[in-house]
Every structure is written in structure tokens, then in C-alpha cells.
Amino acid sequence: MKIRKKTLTTAFGIPVADDQNSLTAGPRGPVLMQDVHLLEKLAHFDRERIPERVVHAKGAGAFGYFEATTNVTRYTKARFLSEVGKRTDLFVRFSTVGGEKGSADSARDPRGFAVKFYTEEGNYDLVGNNTPVFFIRDPLKFPDFIHTQKRNPATNLPDPNMFWDFLSLTPESIHQVTILFSDRGTPATYRHMNGYSSHTFKWYNARGEYFWVQYHFKTDQGIRNLTREEAKRLAGEDPDHATRDLFNSIENEDYPSWTLEVQILTPEQARDFRWDIFDITKVWPHAEVPPIQIGKMVLNRNPRNYFADVEQAAFCPGNVVPGIGLSPDKMLQGRVFSYHDTHLHRLGPNYHLIPVNAPRHAPENSYQRDGFMRVDANGEGGPNYWPNSFGGAAPVTGDSEPPFDLSGQAGRHPASHPNDDFEQAGVLFRKVMTDVDRDHLIGNIVDHLGKAQERIQLRQTALFYKADPEYGRRVAEGLKLDIGKVKALAGMSQEERTEATLAVRVPESA
Ligand code: NDP
């Protein structure tokens, strides 16, 4: 069979006769300004990169589907969950968090686990991580936290002092730090890890009754993690190992899948619950809120172009469909702003038109018009305002979230239960981890925290001690710290501990 060659053209469809020799005055140049093809080619090349994501810069993605396996209509009226057997197309992006676009997939870091369901009621984004909790519970702390995970402003190097200084001054991080420094902080691949909503979300049914839910995507491949040594070796030998693994497994038709479970609390149960269900540093213990299986997610198609589908993929936790609502979780509320805002900056005001982000199974009928890169028909000649009497799209009355109560004094309220911050980390250390898990956890912490200043090591080890004395004692032993000093710091209030471990003291007279 003869392959018919396509004609090379400029971006505007004009045939190109020569793509190897620039237009020059004589065989040795110089190049003429009127080589429009060359100018167009160089100018476009100069603009190939879009801003890197501030977080989650390195990632991999795939398409697939979700299949509902349980009837949950008594909890939510979301149509994609309305029938057993119903399938919904989706796109998933996995990522590391702190590293740049070229950084190693094996880095010790949480993994992003972002799912976009293309439902018939619009796109539903569930933008989670591979950990059920997070380091902080107030979005005001987020930029500072991320600065400490990135590079020192002077040296442009990752900085263990910044990293541990912030965490040791932020005790609410202890639960997530314990997960991060277990081997779950270095998953073997993206296929061998769970995904969690981490936040609490609201579900409401057709009768307007509501429930609080947390999502858990449990990997059907089984959990597999890297040891510290394996992770370090892979960072050098194959920094893209998880990206490669995901692509190859789908290419080889070995489709990865996850079972979706949810934990559900009624408002009455939530009221009496011993944990603040809107505090993202806490889980809901399984024994108290047993997870129920509701569906399966399968990834079975690789993107045909990485930039088009993965680099330009844009998720926002605020994109919820009827039947699903947000919760008062402060971090969630902050993310609802920050994700959309980031995409406006990275991709422009019309990022919702990029195919991977556009609704696939629902029409988009908004009155938003114009702006950079408006590449569709821009509403043609239809009305661009509401209300109108020219047949423009109208709101669906009765489809909105039922009204809900809010109360309380406006103020900058600290968490009301700070002493609980250590309990779940302690349970994880004592009851969930095996002996091997604990050995690796201690080794991983000592390896990393050992690079920070001693006063920071002491402050952080005091937090481990508060989670569990054995945990603190073993880290202190590994770091050769004076356990007496660790115990003394653990017995202090947060303010006293900070004061006792300052690097720079401001003179009284200042
Ligand atoms: P359970 O014993 O019912 O559940 C423990 C959970 O811990 C399991 O889901 C297990 O996940 C997970 N796990 C096992 N090893 C690790 C590890 N090294 N790092 C992080 N998670 C791990 O206990 P509870 O529900 O009472 O929770 C106890 C503690 O378990 C919590 O304080 C929390 O730290 C952790 N956990 C709890 C989760 C929850 O939603 N309740 C979710 C994840 C962790 P798997 O089944 O995949 O092995």
C-alpha cells in the first residue's frame, strides 16, 4: 500500500516548499527577515512552555471509566451514581507534589490523585491525594508550607532546615508526616497506591436530605511501596519510572483499577462524632464508620498527546455535580478558589474549552464570552446575558443544593481541639504499622531529619514523642539526641517549645 504523504504547511495552511534551508542572501547568509516560515517556526517554539504548576508539576495521566456497583440513591441524586452498572468516562492525573516537571517519580512526597468524571450533568472533579489526611488544616498556611517543601531562596537547594522548621512548628502535621515517612511516602508506582478525597464532602438526595462522605479509591493491584534505598536508586536510574509504568501497563492492556469505597455519616452521627469531620488532619476510624463499596474505576486508554491531555488537564474541587456539595473544611474552601485561579493563570480564561477539560457528556451553555483563546463559536449570535427573552439557556429551578445552616461569630478561630493532633498518628504507629513498617519509618525520618539543625531535630522529635513515647525515643536514638531534652520539650506547650528552640533571639530591648 502506498502511503500518501501530507503536504507540510505553515500554521495557516500555506504549503512549505523547503524546511531545511533558511532563506538567505547568498549561500553563506545572512538570513532574510522575509523568511516568514522560519520566523513563525522559531516564534512558536519560543512559546512552547506554559507556566509550570506551582505544585503537582510532575505527573502522568490516563483515560478510563467508572462503573457504579451499589445503589446509593438514598444518599445522593448524582446521576452518574444512580444505577448499578452505569458507566461514566473519566480522566485521571497522578503526580508528585513538590518537585519540578523533570523531578524523580520516586521522591518522598504525597501523590496527587485527581479524577475528572465526565458526567451527563457536567464534569465532576474529585481532586485527592494518596493519603487520607493533610499537613495543615487552614489554607492561610498553604503557600508557606509549600515554600518549605521547595527550594531555599538563597541557595536554590532543597533545605532540610526549612522543611523541618515549618513542620515542627506546625504540630497538626504530625499525622501526615508519619504517613509520608512510612514507605507509603514512596509508592512503587501510581498503580500500587490508594487515592483518598481527604476532605469531607456533602451528598444530598432527591428529597433534600444530606450526608457527609469521604472517598477511598482502593487499588486492586495491591499496595506496593519502595524502600528508601530503592527510591533513591530509581531517582537516578529511571526518574520517570512511575510515568513509564502507567503508560506501559495500559499499552499492554493490563488495565489498572481501583475499588471506590465511601464512608458516610448522617448529620446526627456527625454531631456526636468525637473527631471534627471537617479537619483534614484526621481520618474517620473504619470501625466507627465502615466504608461501603460503591464502584470501580478502570484506566484503559493512554493520552495520544501528553501536552494536550496531561499538561493542560485542569481540575478544581469546586466542580461538583447536583447531588454532591462542599463541606466547611477550611482547606477545601481555600482550594475551591486556588485551583480555578491557577488555571486562569496557566491556561487562560477559556481553559474549559480545552478538550480534556471540556464537558463531554453535557452541553456547556453559559453566558461567559470572549477572552484569550476563545476557540469555539463563542455563543454565535445568541444572547450573551441572562435573563433574556430570546430563548437563551435558563437555570434549572429546583436543581440547586438544599439550603443549609451556618452559624458562629466571624473571627480567625484556631482549631478547638489541638491536643487531639497526636492521637491518630500514635494509633497509626502503634496499631496499624508492622514491625518492618516501624523500622522503615524510623530509618526514613532519621535519614532526612538528621540533615536539619539539632534544635529543629529536638523540636520535631518532641512531636514524635507526643504521638507515642516509643516513636520519639527511637527517633531520638537514631539521631543520637538527648532523650531528656526531647521529653522536656514534649512536656511544654507549643509556645514554650518554640521559645526554647529559637535560632535567633530578639533582645528584650528591641
Ligand atoms: P484500620 O485498622 O481500620 O485501618 C487502617 C488503615 O491504615 C487501612 O486502611 C490501611 O490501608 C492503612 N495503612 C496501613 N499501613 C499504613 C501506613 N504505613 N501508612 C498509612 N496508612 C496505612 O484503622 P482506623 O480506621 O482506626 O485508622 C487507624 C489509622 O490508620 C489512622 O489513624 C490513620 O493513620 C490510618 N488510616 C486510616 C484510614 C481511615 O480512613 N480510617 C485510611 C488510611 C489510613 P490498606 O487497607 O490500604 O492497607
Side-chain angles (χ1 to χ4, degrees), residues 23 80 146 201 207 229 252 387 412:
L23 189 64
F80 80 106
I146 291 299
F201 284 90
R207 290 195 298 277
E229 294 74 22
N252 296 332
R412 297 185 179 275

Side-chain angles (χ1 to χ4, degrees), residues 452-473:
Q453 295 171 2
E454 188 179 310
R455 67 191 177 87
I456 297 175
Q457 293 180 18
L458 282 165
R459 195 198 293 142
Q460 180 64 40
T461 307
L463 301 187
F464 295 133
Y465 190 90
K466 280 171 75 74
D468 184 283
E470 175 70 3
Y471 186 5
R473 192 192 56 71

Side-chain angles (χ1 to χ4, degrees), residues 323-497:
I324 299 175
L326 305 174
S327 77
D329 177 337
K330 296 175 194 178
M331 282 299 294
L332 175 60
Q333 298 274 328
R335 292 178 74 207
V336 164
F337 164 74
S338 209
Y339 280 66
H340 181 56
D341 187 52
T342 297
H343 307 320
L344 294 175
H345 160 66
R346 284 188 79 231
L347 302 164
N350 287 307
Y351 75 88
H352 59 288
L353 301 176
I354 297 170
V356 69
N357 300 325
R360 295 193 168 192
H361 300 301
E364 187 245 317
N365 290 320
S366 74
Y367 289 103
Q368 289 159 22
R369 296 287 186 273
D370 309 350
F372 284 114
M373 299 310 292
R374 185 79 208 201
V375 294
D376 66 349
N378 197 26
E380 296 181 333
N384 58 1
Y385 59 92
W386 176 261
N388 68 70
S389 57
F390 290 99
V396 194
T397 45
D399 215 13
S400 54
E401 182 177 342
F404 51 92
D405 288 328
L406 291 176
S407 64
Q409 281 202 313
R412 297 185 179 275
H413 301 287
S416 54
H417 47 80
N419 293 328
D420 283 351
D421 283 336
F422 300 94
E423 192 172 328
Q424 292 198 352
V427 169
L428 176 62
F429 179 81
R430 275 188 307 278
K431 301 201 175 144
V432 178
M433 289 188 177
T434 62
D435 285 344
V436 173
D437 289 339
R438 277 187 286 267
D439 288 349
H440 288 196
L441 171 73
I442 304 297
N444 295 339
I445 291 172
V446 169
D447 180 63
H448 199 287
L449 180 56
K451 298 179 185 112
Q453 295 171 2
E454 188 179 310
R455 67 191 177 87
I456 297 175
Q457 293 180 18
L458 282 165
R459 195 198 293 142
Q460 180 64 40
T461 307
L463 301 187
F464 295 133
Y465 190 90
K466 280 171 75 74
D468 184 283
E470 175 70 3
Y471 186 5
R473 192 192 56 71
R474 288 186 63 180
V475 173
E477 210 173 84
L479 292 170
K480 302 194 172 34
L481 295 174
D482 179 342
I483 189 69
K485 285 187 186 166
V486 170
K487 279 188 196 171
L489 286 170
M492 293 178 186
S493 71
Q494 174 62 14
E495 291 71 30
E496 290 165 341
R497 198 162 40 245

